[in-house]
């Protein structure tokens, strides 16, 4: 067992020790990567908003709302404390984050990673057959996960659950949207049938 006073014995932290040291000794590089992270978050948000306002497709927005509501739930914060060594209220050594990162490093810990759950946008791109754009987003998301581990911005479990959450909330949003569309459609019993021979009702 790892004593509570010791740093988390996180596999991702162990694998990114060298990169973590590099970021700590190169503030300019860390700030550049943090700024890139913020740009990527804006890109994901812009795609989701565009899908709603321009294309009239609310599913990605519904999935994002489900995701952000769920990740701030106190029950989830308690769950991560129970199933792992990680303390949900720690800030994960966020002093190594850049000042231009989003969210800012002084925010309280949230489980799971909302950045990685942004894969909601990538799933929607594939559903719309925008495969090249989806692949680019997946690649950026993988780099994002590596940076978050190196900057000690998230535990490994946050990233793993973030990916699963992105898939889960996208499917949940699809079922929610489908059910609402069906329930709002007029019932067959209430529809008036037009006679094809004389156009009477």
């Amino acid at each position: 067992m790892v004593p509570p006073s010791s740093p988390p014995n996180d596999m991702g932290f162990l694998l990114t020790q060298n990169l973590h040291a590099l970021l700590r000794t190169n503030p300019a590089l860390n700030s550049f990567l943090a700024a890139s992270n913020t740009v990527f978050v804006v890109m994901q948000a812009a795609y989701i908003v565009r899908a709603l306002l321009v294309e009239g497709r609310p599913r990605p927005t519904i999935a994002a709302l489900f995701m952000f509501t769920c990740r701030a739930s106190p029950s989830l914060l308690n769950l991560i404390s129970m199933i792992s060594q990680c303390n949900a209220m720690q800030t994960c050594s966020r002093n190594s984050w850049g000042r231009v990162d989003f969210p800012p490093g002084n925010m309280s810990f949230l489980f799971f990673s909302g950045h990685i759950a942004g894969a909601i946008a990538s799933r929607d791109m594939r559903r719309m057959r925008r495969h090249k754009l989806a692949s680019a987003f997946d690649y950026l998301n993988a780099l994002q996960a590596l940076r978050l581990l190196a900057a000690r911005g998230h535990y490994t479990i946050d990233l793993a659950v973030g990916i699963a959450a992105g898939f889960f909330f996208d499917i949940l949003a699809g079922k929610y949207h489908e059910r609402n569309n069906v329930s709002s459609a007029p019932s067959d019993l209430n529809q008036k049938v037009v006679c094809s021979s004389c156009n009477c009702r």
Side-chain angles (χ1 to χ4, degrees), residues 61 72 80 152 171 180:
T61 301
I80 184 61
R152 303 301 185 252
I171 294 172
N180 281 356

Side-chain angles (χ1 to χ4, degrees), residues 12-32:
F13 288 7
L14 297 177
L15 294 176
T16 57
Q17 284 180 343
N18 292 337
L19 186 55
H20 176 64
L22 177 64
L23 294 181
R24 290 188 68 89
T25 56
N26 292 271
L29 175 61
N30 189 43
S31 295
F32 171 77

Side-chain angles (χ1 to χ4, degrees), residues 40-195:
F40 184 50
V41 170
V42 172
M43 288 169 57
Q44 290 177 322
Y47 178 87
I48 291 173
V49 171
R50 183 183 184 279
L52 175 66
L53 299 182
V54 178
E55 300 177 3
R57 297 186 298 103
R59 178 171 173 172
T61 301
I62 295 171
L65 291 175
F66 281 162
M67 182 265 288
F68 282 110
T69 300
C70 186
R71 74 186 292 255
S73 169
S75 59
L76 277 181
L77 296 178
N78 292 330
L79 176 63
I80 184 61
S81 294
M82 290 188 294
I83 66 175
S84 75
Q85 173 205 346
C86 306
N87 182 351
M89 300 312 295
Q90 289 178 354
T91 56
C92 304
S93 303
R94 289 190 175 187
N95 58 331
S96 62
W97 279 30
R99 294 182 178 181
V100 291
D101 211 341
F102 179 83
N106 59 357
M107 288 186 66
S108 61
F109 181 89
L110 292 175
F111 172 77
F112 40 87
S113 171
H115 297 86
I116 304 303
I120 290 170
S122 174
R123 282 184 57 82
D124 185 77
M125 293 170 191
R126 295 190 186 282
R127 190 162 45 247
M128 300 304 295
R129 301 186 184 279
R130 297 165 179 165
H131 297 294
K132 291 184 178 180
L133 187 59
S135 297
F137 266 60
D138 289 340
Y139 178 74
L140 292 173
N141 227 3
L143 293 179
Q144 165 104 278
L146 181 63
R147 188 199 73 90
L148 286 170
L149 288 173
R152 303 301 185 252
H154 273 294
Y155 298 115
T156 303
I157 191 174
D158 300 333
L159 305 181
V161 175
I163 295 173
F167 279 75
F168 172 75
F169 289 119
D170 178 70
I171 294 172
L172 185 64
K175 293 187 178 298
Y176 174 83
H177 185 237
E178 180 182 352
R179 186 187 67 179
N180 281 356
N181 277 353
V182 171
S183 63
S184 61
S187 170
D188 292 340
L189 297 177
N190 297 327
Q191 291 181 348
K192 295 182 178 180
V193 180
V194 179
C195 177

